[in-house]
Amino acid sequence: MDFTYTIYIVLIPLFAFLVNGLLGHKIKDSISGVFATLALGVSAILSYFTAYNYFFKVGKVDGVYEKITAFNTTWINFTDKLHIDLGVLIDPISVMMLVVITTVSLLVHIYSLGYMKGDEGFTRFYAYLSLFTFSMLGLVVATNIFQMYMFWELVGLSSYLLIGYYYTKPSAVAASKKAFIVTRFADLGFLVGILFLSFTTGTFDFITLNENASILAQAAPLGFMGLSVLTWAVILIFIGGAGKSAMFPLHIWLPDAMEGPTPVSALIHAATMVVAGVYLVARLFPIFSAVDPIALEIVAIVGGVSSLFAAIIACTQIDIKRVLAFSTMSQIGYMMLALGVSGMGEEGTGFMASMFHLFTHAMFKALLFLGAGSIIHAVHSNNLTDMGNLRKYMPITHITFLIACLAIAGVPPFSGFFSKDEILVAAMNHNPIYFWIEWAVAGLTAFYMFRLYFGIFWANDKKHDHAHESPFSMTLPLVILAIAATFAGFVPFNELVTSDGGFLDIHIHWNIALPSIAIGLVGILVAYIFYKKESSLPSKMEKSVGSLYTYAYNKFYIDEVYMFVTKKIIFNKISTPIAWFDRNVIDASMDSIANITNYFSDKIKTIQSGQLQQYITAFIAAVLILVFIFNYLIS
Amino acid sequence: MIEGIEIQHIILVSSLMFFIGVYGFMTRKNLITMLMAIELMLNAVNINFVAFNKYLHPENMQGHFYSLFIIAIAAAEAAVAIAIIINLYRNLHSIDVEDVNNMKH
């Protein structure tokens, strides 16, 4: 079957970006928004069509889904061996990502029609959204790692533009810079990793890399600290992925990124861009599992630490978007951990679970963010303390938010239960320590989500004068996503998306599912007791854990550590002396050469007196001296 | 060959003329006088050209031609110089070389 048309899935948002970006000032706001939404609608339909064709029409050949290069063109041709291609790679994970991205993006486009209505930069907003969608789609369909890197930077750029969308607000500008610099810093690792990888393997192409993973891994020369060069390459690439996916300790940009408009947080910082790191590891998974096991162990440890760390912080935050941001970080930690504990083929439960969780998480987290946006739209505040009792004012938002909370808390039969269960199974098979960590995180997740839920919709009898249900354009995406979040768990990922494209035999392990349901319910129950009604219990709890609460409330001072390292150590101890050296040694030596020349010319310029006869005298004297020299001294 | 006159005598005359010209050029303050000193130097050179042509290569005429050439150039140069001097006088009301000192540091 011919999949060439998939290129249009990527190009249509680019076209929408160009139209809105270049002609935006000439188009009416409403038209530009509808135009971008329709363009994305076409993209989404094409994606569904592709998914249908790929999974059901073409189906499996010899029991596995094939990787298809639907479109390929050589972009830069250095030599026969070294060339950079642009193309579209169709395989289970990229098709799955196409569906996720276009769905969430389309719903965010629709949602923004209501949410951003009347905003000054309306067309600019839609132009950026389209640019982001284009970049993200280009990233997931990349046929080679260099194309991926290019689009990787493009999503970083569009994320920067959208975080700094309210550019008159200093905090938004600071947040956008922070996001850009931190991820850029991590991307340095990615770039160096690409260079190592392509230097040792001689190719950029994903299909070639993945099919020959074990041969390449064995042939790779020994590098530093007893690990092969290829192992180092994938570890460096993982640093890039960790930066984009806000993994500890490169997560500091994500909470601040919430300065952007809420639909942007839903699209970029919950559902799509932040999972690019997971996608990257999944894309190179055969290489990751072929090299030294330490690489995947690092992925698992970073994922586990991030999920626990973020879950603890999320329990203490007041700003609802920040709670969701830390929750996102925690859930991505789950996905990373699942990849880290996975193997290939029959042992690929973790890989499948990770992709499954990516899918379900995209749905319920986008729903949570859009719900939060709807609430913020009504209350005009991000603070939990300004909310409460909103269930009476916003019934649709209330129900959909509850569904999302149940999904993320892992209550069956909502989607989060199934994917989280698979992750826990994979963790248990690999190492029970990971299982117990993630089990505890599941409890924390249920607790902080229901803390949010009760805090927003119950808690007190506050009267809200302006609060009202959001317009149809905003509630429609909520309802659609709520349906998706409820039923996404029944998508048979073990058949569709696995590490080798084949079938994976899974079933619910009740010995693992029951404890995880139990801890989820305990979390919900505790939140119910604490936050259903105003009570003194939370503050008592805060006091009883004492300094832990203060640490968690201040995000364990990671920002301060970064500030200390950059300001106190790098700026003061390294940059300042270097700047001093530059000013006082290098610049000064050049300056003194100029100054000395200046001084002497100042002294001798009086010779130029303007008196003709003095010149003549000097001239004749010189001639006589030369005559004397040539006649008597040299000859 | 000019009877009874050695080349040394002729060179002596031309040298004297040349250095009188140099001396005049260096000491006189009047621009017209300086111009005259230049003419002296040029003519000293002319004498040398003609004399060496006559004593060294009597069969050739280049020295004579050069003399004529220099005379022509000297005439042109005098015309230009006097025009400059007249303009200077109009501007400065002086033809003293020490008053012409605008081109300095």
Side-chain angles (χ1 to χ4, degrees):
Chain A
M1 178 166 282
D2 188 21
F3 279 106
T4 319
Y5 64 87
T6 46
I7 189 74
Y8 294 109
I9 299 175
V10 182
L11 290 182
I12 290 170
L14 176 65
F15 175 69
F17 161 66
L18 290 176
V19 170
N20 271 342
L22 295 175
L23 308 172
H25 53 285
K26 289 186 186 153
I27 310 175
K28 260 195 207 159
D29 279 3
S30 51
I31 294 173
S32 81
V34 170
F35 170 73
T37 311
L38 285 179
L40 212 68
V42 175
S43 240
I45 289 166
L46 280 175
S47 300
Y48 300 147
F49 186 60
T50 311
Y52 172 74
N53 277 342
Y54 184 76
F55 285 126
F56 303 113
K57 273 284 219 18
V58 176
K60 292 183 180 178
V61 180
D62 297 335
V64 291
Y65 285 111
E66 279 185 306
K67 291 173 192 290
I68 300 170
T69 307
F71 176 85
N72 199 37
T73 173
T74 304
W75 179 48
I76 302 176
N77 199 1
F78 295 110
T79 62
D80 283 347
K81 241 188 128 187
L82 180 68
H83 50 89
I84 297 171
D85 293 358
L86 289 180
V88 176
L89 175 66
I90 299 287
D91 76 341
I93 53 173
S94 72
V95 172
M96 188 270 290
M97 285 300 283
L98 283 181
V99 170
V100 170
I101 294 163
T102 51
T103 307
V104 177
S105 185
L106 175 64
L107 294 173
V108 165
H109 272 72
I110 296 171
Y111 182 88
S112 305
L113 288 175
Y115 188 86
M116 300 302 287
K117 194 172 189 178
D119 197 278
E120 242 174 73
F122 193 80
T123 51
R124 183 164 59 92
F125 180 78
Y126 270 96
Y128 289 168
L129 273 190
S130 302
L131 174 65
F132 170 76
T133 313
F134 157 69
S135 325
M136 193 67 209
L137 291 169
L139 192 159
V140 297
V141 299
T143 54
N144 60 75
I145 197 160
F146 210 92
Q147 181 189 355
M148 194 173 195
Y149 181 70
M150 222 160 58
F151 283 99
W152 185 272
E153 293 300 336
L154 264 178
V155 290
L157 168 75
S158 25
S159 159
Y160 164 81
L161 290 171
L162 282 165
I163 296 168
Y165 174 74
Y166 296 120
Y167 57 84
T168 47
K169 239 167 79 184
S171 59
V173 175
S176 63
K177 274 197 292 193
K178 189 172 178 182
F180 195 75
I181 292 169
V182 173
T183 51
R184 196 66 202 75
F185 184 71
D187 292 347
L188 179 67
F190 188 11
L191 181 60
V192 176
I194 291 175
L195 296 180
F196 278 13
L197 184 76
S198 52
F199 185 75
T200 27
T201 61
T203 178
F204 288 124
D205 192 60
F206 282 133
I207 293 180
T208 321
L209 278 173
N210 285 343
E211 280 179 355
N212 307 319
S214 51
I215 305 165
L216 291 170
Q218 274 165 15
L222 202 64
F224 178 58
M225 279 170 45
L227 299 175
S228 73
V229 175
L230 208 57
T231 312
W232 279 108
V234 297
I235 291 172
L236 284 166
I237 288 175
F238 174 66
I239 292 176
K244 205 56 124 201
S245 286
M247 290 288 96
F248 179 83
L250 292 166
H251 65 278
I252 53 162
W253 63 273
L254 187 61
D256 288 20
M258 296 302 133
E259 290 289 345
T262 312
V264 169
S265 311
L267 175 60
I268 301 185
H269 307 118
T272 56
M273 188 193 82
V274 284
V275 296
V278 179
Y279 181 76
L280 175 65
V281 177
R283 174 52 86 209
L284 288 172
F285 194 72
I287 295 267
F288 269 89
S289 55
V291 297
D292 198 287
I294 191 84
L296 277 179
E297 209 62 43
I298 290 174
V299 174
I301 291 168
V302 168
V305 169
S306 301
S307 66
L308 181 63
F309 176 84
I312 294 171
I313 296 176
C315 293
T316 61
Q317 295 300 305
I318 300 291
D319 183 329
I320 60 170
K321 282 182 77 183
R322 282 181 190 241
V323 175
L324 293 178
F326 281 109
S327 156
T328 306
M329 180 182 159
S330 172
Q331 299 300 311
I332 295 170
Y334 265 107
M335 299 173 207
M336 283 289 188
L337 181 123
L339 283 174
V341 298
S342 177
M344 286 295 290
E346 289 296 307
E347 289 140 17
T349 318
F351 182 92
M352 189 279 292
S354 176
M355 291 297 109
F356 196 9
H357 198 58
L358 192 162
F359 183 74
T360 57
H361 172 258
M363 299 305 158
F364 59 67
K365 188 50 68 66
L367 174 55
L368 284 170
F369 266 107
L370 293 183
S374 170
I375 294 154
I376 293 165
H377 197 61
V379 185
H380 299 293
S381 164
N382 284 9
N383 274 351
L384 202 49
T385 45
D386 296 334
M387 297 167 188
N389 203 24
L390 280 169
R391 69 183 186 285
K392 288 172 185 158
Y393 299 91
M394 315 176 76
I396 300 175
T397 311
H398 171 218
I399 296 298
T400 51
F401 202 88
L402 176 61
I403 289 170
C405 287
L406 288 169
I408 194 173
V411 175
F414 295 97
S415 59
F417 165 71
F418 295 99
S419 51
K420 202 173 278 188
D421 185 55
E422 291 307 323
I423 290 178
L424 291 174
V425 169
M428 191 57 154
N429 289 342
H430 186 74
N431 188 340
I433 296 171
Y434 291 136
F435 168 76
W436 290 112
I437 291 174
E438 295 312 312
W439 179 76
V441 173
L444 285 170
T445 309
F447 171 71
Y448 66 69
M449 285 320 300
F450 276 86
R451 167 177 176 264
L452 211 58
Y453 167 73
F454 287 120
I456 294 170
F457 294 105
W458 300 77
N460 50 37
D461 296 324
K462 215 179 265 177
K463 293 263 180 293
H464 297 276
D465 296 337
H466 305 293
H468 53 84
E469 187 55 274
S470 303
F472 178 68
S473 61
M474 287 167 72
T475 48
L476 175 71
L478 292 179
V479 172
I480 295 173
L481 280 171
I483 294 167
T486 313
F487 296 110
F490 297 106
V491 177
F493 262 64
N494 60 328
E495 286 201 28
L496 302 179
V497 183
T498 53
S499 55
D500 55 1
F503 175 78
L504 190 69
D505 188 25
I506 55 155
H507 47 87
I508 290 175
H509 297 63
W510 288 106
N511 59 334
I512 285 168
L514 285 178
S516 80
I517 296 170
I519 186 107
L521 292 176
V522 168
I524 295 170
L525 188 67
V526 173
Y528 177 80
I529 296 166
F530 276 25
Y531 299 105
K532 171 77 192 310
K533 292 252 161 52
E534 274 176 299
S535 73
S536 55
L537 279 171
S539 54
K540 272 185 198 157
M541 183 72 186
E542 283 161 24
K543 288 216 183 70
S544 67
V545 293
S547 57
L548 180 65
Y549 177 81
T550 325
Y551 281 129
Y553 184 75
N554 291 306
K555 303 164 207 158
F556 291 98
Y557 298 101
I558 299 289
D559 277 310
E560 281 74 9
V561 169
Y562 269 92
M563 281 313 253
F564 179 78
V565 170
T566 50
K567 280 226 166 107
K568 291 273 163 54
I569 297 179
I570 296 178
F571 289 178
N572 284 355
K573 298 286 188 303
I574 299 171
S575 306
T576 314
I578 290 174
W580 182 89
F581 182 80
D582 183 48
R583 257 197 304 280
N584 292 296
V585 179
I586 296 174
D587 271 10
S589 61
M590 291 299 136
D591 281 355
S592 58
I593 289 171
N595 284 337
I596 290 166
T597 315
N598 204 1
Y599 175 80
F600 279 106
S601 51
D602 214 47
K603 289 288 163 202
I604 60 174
K605 77 179 176 188
T606 46
I607 294 172
Q608 202 84 13
S609 63
Q611 294 295 342
L612 188 61
Q613 286 176 327
Q614 283 179 14
Y615 301 165
I616 287 291
T617 315
F619 172 72
I620 288 169
V623 168
L624 289 177
I625 290 166
L626 286 179
V627 166
F628 178 77
I629 288 171
F630 285 118
N631 263 348
Y632 299 102
L633 297 183
I634 290 178
S635 68
Chain B
M1 198 71 60
I2 302 165
E3 289 302 318
I5 302 177
E6 299 289 318
I7 192 168
Q8 292 91 329
H9 298 113
I10 297 172
I11 290 172
L12 188 68
V13 169
S14 73
S15 305
L16 276 174
M17 267 173 78
F18 186 82
F19 283 101
I20 288 166
V22 169
Y23 176 77
F25 194 75
M26 285 166 64
T27 54
R28 298 294 103 183
K29 301 297 177 197
N30 189 317
L31 278 169
I32 305 237
T33 323
M34 284 169 72
L35 188 62
M36 286 154 66
I38 291 173
E39 295 297 326
L40 267 181
M41 286 189 267
L42 284 171
N43 283 317
V45 174
N46 278 345
I47 290 171
N48 267 7
F49 267 121
V50 175
F52 282 117
N53 185 232
K54 193 73 187 167
Y55 282 89
L56 296 179
H57 303 286
E59 71 283 2
N60 292 340
M61 295 294 281
Q62 280 96 330
H64 299 276
F65 292 154
Y66 267 104
S67 304
L68 289 172
F69 207 60
I70 290 167
I71 289 165
I73 287 177
E77 175 243 311
V80 173
I82 287 171
I84 291 171
I85 291 165
I86 289 168
N87 268 312
L88 278 174
Y89 183 75
R90 283 186 184 157
N91 283 310
L92 302 173
H93 302 290
S94 156
I95 50 167
D96 191 328
V97 71
E98 286 185 348
D99 292 339
V100 189
N101 62 354
N102 285 345
M103 302 280 276
K104 63 180 174 188
H105 56 82

